[in-house]
């Protein structure tokens, strides 16, 4: 591995973890919002049901007032029966009284219908209240888990940022500037290892000669495609030098004796 890049490689590991933590923390409010969805739905159902109960109660009371008004009207009509003089007037008045009683009966049916509706809505409201309580418990539990996760990530992030500053101080300014420029341009990792003859960053095949140079040289090399700084993770094979010509080996000395 290029020793000049070793501090940058360690710095990149920190940067990638910081990026990962930052993304995890960014998504926590989204997760919390999703977890809260059943609670919002349960509360909405309870609110709508409660409003429907209230509206039905008002409607029932209005019908009850209509019944009272119809009773008062019928009583007046009955009181007039004794005032009628002819049989024709009497029969006509009885018919009007019959129609008034029919109207009252229809209003009473509406009252009963409202009462049944209110009873049904109240059962629905009770179920909705149970759903709200269950959803609140689930939300509170999940929120606690996410809050604890956020606190852990925040603490780790603080440590990593401190290490990041320390690592940056140990990198040559020129290399650090180039690293920062690549990081800003690529939005991920400025350095890439060579794996299987390919750049781990862009996954394209690196020319064999460049691979050999990265293995052996301490010079800085970049990927010809994505321009990331390349490094070799494995061991570098050192060529075995043949014996220098003109020198006699111990074996040759033994044979000449």
């Amino acid at each position: 591995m290029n020793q000049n890049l070793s501090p940058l490689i360690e710095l990149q590991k920190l940067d990638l973890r910081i990026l990962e933590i930052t993304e995890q923390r960014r998504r926590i409010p989204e997760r919390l919002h999703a977890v809260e969805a059943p609670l919002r739905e349960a509360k909405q159902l309870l609110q709508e049901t409660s409003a429907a109960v209230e509206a039905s109660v008002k409607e029932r009371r209005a019908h009850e007032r209509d019944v009272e008004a119809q009773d008062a009207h019928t009583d007046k009509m009955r009181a007039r029966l004794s005032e009628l003089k002819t049989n024709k007037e009497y029969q006509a008045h009885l018919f009007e009284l019959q129609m008034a009683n029919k109207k009252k009966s229809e209003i009473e049916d509406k009252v009963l219908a409202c009462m049944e509706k209110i009873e049904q809505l109240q059962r629905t409201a009770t179920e909705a209240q149970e759903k709200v309580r269950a959803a609140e418990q689930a939300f509170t539990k999940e929120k606690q888990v996410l809050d604890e996760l956020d606190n852990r990530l925040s603490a780790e992030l603080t440590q990593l940022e401190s290490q990041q500053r320390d690592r940056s101080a140990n990198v040559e300014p020129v290399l650090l500037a180039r690293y920062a420029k690549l990081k800003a341009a690529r939005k991920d990792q400025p350095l890439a290892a060579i794996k299987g003859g390919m750049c781990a960053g862009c996954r394209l095949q690196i020319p064999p000669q460049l691979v050999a140079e990265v293995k052996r040289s301490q010079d800085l090399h970049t990927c010809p495609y994505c321009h990331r700084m390349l490094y070799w993770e494995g061991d570098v094979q050192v060529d075995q030098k043949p014996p220098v010509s003109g020198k006699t080996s111990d074996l040759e000395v033994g044979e000449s004796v």
Side-chain angles (χ1 to χ4, degrees):
M1 181 188 295
N2 188 326
Q3 296 303 314
N4 293 329
L5 293 180
S6 295
L8 279 183
I9 294 172
E10 296 302 317
L11 178 61
Q12 178 169 269
K13 291 178 181 178
L14 292 173
D15 285 345
L16 291 176
R17 179 55 183 162
I18 288 173
L19 185 64
E20 180 183 1
I21 290 176
T22 302
E23 177 61 18
Q24 283 182 305
R25 294 191 69 198
R26 185 192 66 80
R27 290 164 56 188
I28 285 177
E30 296 176 0
R31 292 173 59 183
L32 190 62
H33 184 75
V35 169
E36 195 181 10
L39 177 57
R40 291 195 302 270
E41 293 173 0
K43 285 184 175 180
Q44 180 68 22
L45 175 61
L46 179 58
Q47 182 180 359
E48 292 174 354
T49 305
S50 299
V53 169
E54 184 177 352
S56 296
V57 168
K58 289 181 179 179
E59 183 181 359
R60 186 203 66 193
R61 289 173 179 171
H63 291 320
E64 288 173 344
R65 287 193 295 269
D66 290 341
V67 169
E68 293 175 357
Q70 196 66 26
D71 279 338
H73 177 64
T74 303
D75 290 341
K76 290 181 179 179
M77 291 183 67
R78 286 196 184 98
R80 287 183 56 198
L81 284 174
S82 59
E83 299 175 2
L84 300 177
K85 297 180 180 180
T86 65
N87 185 55
K88 184 177 181 181
E89 290 177 344
Y90 187 82
Q91 293 298 325
H93 200 69
L94 284 179
F95 179 76
E96 290 179 3
L97 185 59
Q98 182 181 1
M99 295 303 296
N101 287 330
K102 182 179 179 182
K103 184 176 181 181
K104 176 187 173 182
S105 178
E106 291 174 352
I107 298 173
E108 288 175 337
D109 288 342
K110 292 180 180 179
V111 172
L112 291 175
C114 284
M115 293 175 66
E116 291 177 359
K117 184 178 180 181
I118 290 169
E119 184 179 352
Q120 182 180 359
L121 287 171
Q122 286 175 336
R123 286 197 298 268
T124 304
T126 300
E127 294 173 358
Q129 288 174 342
E130 292 295 331
K131 289 182 179 180
V132 168
R133 281 193 287 268
E136 283 178 340
Q137 292 176 357
F139 172 73
T140 300
K141 183 178 180 180
E142 189 64 22
K143 184 178 184 300
Q144 183 179 358
V145 171
L146 292 175
D147 286 343
E148 291 174 355
L149 173 62
D150 188 50
N151 290 335
R152 289 198 304 271
L153 292 175
S154 178
E156 183 181 355
L157 184 61
T158 300
Q159 294 179 352
L160 290 173
E161 288 174 342
S162 177
Q163 296 175 24
Q164 182 191 51
R165 289 190 292 271
D166 294 340
R167 291 284 184 183
S168 298
N170 294 327
V171 179
E172 295 180 9
V174 175
L175 278 178
L176 185 61
R178 184 165 184 177
Y179 174 87
K181 184 177 180 180
L182 281 171
K183 180 182 174 182
R186 303 222 59 85
K187 305 299 183 183
D188 55 2
Q189 54 189 68
L191 293 89
I194 295 178
K195 296 181 179 180
M198 294 189 300
C199 170
C202 63
R203 307 288 183 180
L204 294 177
Q205 198 74 28
I206 301 295
Q209 181 60 33
L210 180 56
V211 174
E213 291 177 2
V214 172
K215 283 184 181 181
R216 294 185 174 88
S217 174
Q218 290 297 310
D219 294 334
L220 180 62
H221 298 280
T222 58
C223 174
Y225 310 109
C226 67
H227 306 295
R228 290 182 174 92
M229 291 181 277
L230 297 172
Y231 65 92
W232 180 259
E233 284 186 321
D235 297 330
V236 177
Q237 297 294 330
V238 179
D239 295 336
Q240 297 294 329
K241 295 182 180 180
V244 178
S245 178
K247 291 187 179 181
T248 306
S249 65
D250 293 339
L251 182 58
E252 289 175 337
V253 171
E255 290 176 348
S256 63
V257 175

